[in-house]
Amino acid sequence: MPHDGHDHLSSSGHPFRKDNDTPLTYWQLMEISVRELMITKGEFSSTEINKQIEIMDARTPANGSALVARAWSDPEFKKRLLKNGAEAARELGFDIGPMHLIAVENTEHVHNLIVCTLCSCYPRNLLGFPPDWYKTKEYRSRAVKEPRSVLEEFGLVLPAEINLRVHDSTADMRYIVLPMRPKWTHEMNENDLARLISRDSMIGTSIIGSNP
Amino acid sequence: MTIPPGTSITIKDSAQPGHIRTPYYIRGKTGVIERSLGEFKNPEQLAYSLPSSLYELYRVRFKMSELWNHDIENPNDTVEAEVFSHWIEEYNNAT
């Protein structure tokens, strides 16, 4: 129905996305110029840039899930993870570069939530790109002021007796939540456990729920 | 000397310009050292390609009731943030 007066909607009912044919901003132009200059000077090739982008795109929360599943299955590994998250991640073979990682453990008494109020610091090497909401001013400002209301909007109502700890990634550390392992999973192997562990449970905006 | 965990400290209430990694909501507030993280270069210098010496970085735990004046959801909830040593006020060793 292209002529029904709803010009901002496509015939499928979705809003049109504007073409990005506006002039480049100052910083876009700067990025392209520096990149092309460095390619011309032989610092690196466009193939290498694309390869790096592919590596970034390939990172998914599955890496973090594998880490948590190992911690759930191996108490000694869990101790090492809580002591030094980065070393534990490297032990599992994840290339996390120079990242410093702190794993914070959810228990019956404590729930942890991760935020970066200043920008969007996130353990990308383990969880991939952060979700869009993680980068919004709304989440970043509200998570340190009214975290329980934020969690409720994610469908997680925390009992008052649970101590909520919000972790603001203000400097060099990155954080991952070690969710609580549900009792009903006690017979599951590591691979099956990993499939249960969601991205949001490692940010702290959800928990691993009851047996589906 | 590294400040031991459990020490009560206050964050400097400064409003200097630049690339500051100490968020406004903790400036002038009192919290407790949760752990020290080792020494790191200062982002306030690094952001401008200036050389930086090493500063101790701490995780500091604040109570919600210290950070916000009203409408606190739960007084026992906490916020922890990383703070460089030069943002911490002189503190009394005995406390």
Side-chain angles (χ1 to χ4, degrees):
Chain A
M1 296 174 288
H3 301 295
D4 65 358
H6 297 282
D7 290 339
H8 56 290
L9 295 179
S10 73
S11 53
S12 62
H14 293 287
F16 281 114
R17 182 174 168 152
K18 271 192 175 177
D19 287 331
N20 60 341
D21 52 5
T22 51
L24 293 172
T25 65
Y26 175 85
W27 292 110
Q28 283 173 322
L29 199 59
M30 180 71 85
E31 184 273 320
I32 294 167
S33 309
V34 171
R35 172 159 43 93
E36 291 190 345
L37 197 60
M38 294 192 77
I39 290 169
T40 307
K41 286 183 164 239
E43 295 290 336
F44 43 69
S45 66
S46 54
T47 312
E48 284 174 299
I49 294 177
N50 274 320
K51 203 174 165 191
Q52 199 57 44
I53 293 171
E54 279 171 15
I55 290 171
M56 284 194 288
D57 280 346
R59 290 182 187 130
T60 73
N63 294 355
S65 305
L67 190 79
V68 170
R70 172 64 61 87
W72 281 0
S73 310
D74 179 348
E76 288 304 314
F77 179 79
K78 181 176 144 183
K79 275 186 205 164
R80 294 198 291 278
L81 176 68
L82 293 173
K83 195 170 175 222
N84 186 332
E87 282 306 314
R90 289 190 190 102
E91 190 187 316
L92 288 200
F94 293 121
D95 175 18
I96 59 167
M99 181 172 77
H100 297 270
L101 182 73
I102 292 181
V104 285
E105 184 184 17
N106 285 351
T107 67
E108 285 172 12
H109 309 290
V110 175
H111 183 85
N112 295 282
L113 178 67
I114 312 299
V115 64
C116 173
T117 58
L118 296 173
C119 43
S120 57
C121 296
Y122 188 76
R124 292 173 189 231
N125 303 59
L126 284 176
L127 299 184
F129 287 107
D132 282 346
W133 54 258
Y134 186 85
K135 299 183 276 185
T136 59
K137 264 194 179 162
E138 189 186 12
Y139 177 75
R140 287 158 49 207
S141 56
R142 293 180 62 213
V144 291
K145 175 78 169 40
E146 44 179 32
R148 286 174 184 262
S149 305
V150 172
L151 290 181
E152 273 182 38
E153 288 165 31
F154 277 94
L156 177 58
V157 180
L158 275 193
E161 62 272 21
I162 292 208
N163 182 209
L164 176 56
R165 291 183 187 160
V166 182
H167 304 271
D168 190 356
S169 324
T170 48
D172 292 73
M173 300 293 135
R174 298 295 175 267
Y175 297 88
I176 188 169
V177 174
L178 177 56
M180 249 206 301
R181 178 175 179 172
K183 287 199 174 65
W184 61 269
T185 65
H186 68 281
E187 284 185 341
M188 288 174 78
N189 67 34
E190 209 174 307
N191 286 338
D192 291 339
L193 287 172
R195 275 193 283 276
L196 284 178
I197 299 155
S198 67
R199 176 196 69 195
D200 287 5
S201 74
M202 294 181 281
I203 303 174
T205 49
S206 79
I207 56 173
I208 317 291
S210 51
N211 196 345
Chain B
M1 201 196 78
T2 310
I3 310 173
T7 309
S8 178
I9 54 92
T10 301
I11 310 301
K12 285 183 184 166
D13 193 7
S14 161
Q16 65 197 72
H19 180 75
I20 309 290
R21 302 297 306 183
T22 306
Y24 269 93
Y25 73 91
I26 63 169
R27 296 186 196 179
K29 306 292 184 183
T30 297
V32 167
I33 301 285
E34 192 263 344
R35 71 178 92 167
S36 53
L37 298 161
E39 292 183 315
F40 291 86
K41 288 183 176 176
N42 184 2
E44 293 159 30
Q45 262 105 46
L46 294 181
Y48 304 99
S49 298
L50 296 170
S52 168
S53 49
L54 293 167
Y55 292 79
E56 187 68 35
L57 185 64
Y58 295 95
R59 274 165 58 72
V60 185
R61 181 177 289 175
F62 303 91
K63 283 193 166 174
M64 285 289 183
S65 53
E66 168 72 7
L67 296 177
W68 315 109
N69 293 327
H70 49 81
D71 298 335
I72 299 161
E73 292 174 326
N74 191 318
N76 293 323
D77 292 346
T78 55
V79 175
E80 289 168 38
E82 296 150 45
V83 181
F84 286 90
S85 55
H86 62 286
W87 273 90
I88 296 174
E89 297 271 17
E90 292 291 319
Y91 70 101
N92 183 354
N93 240 333
T95 53

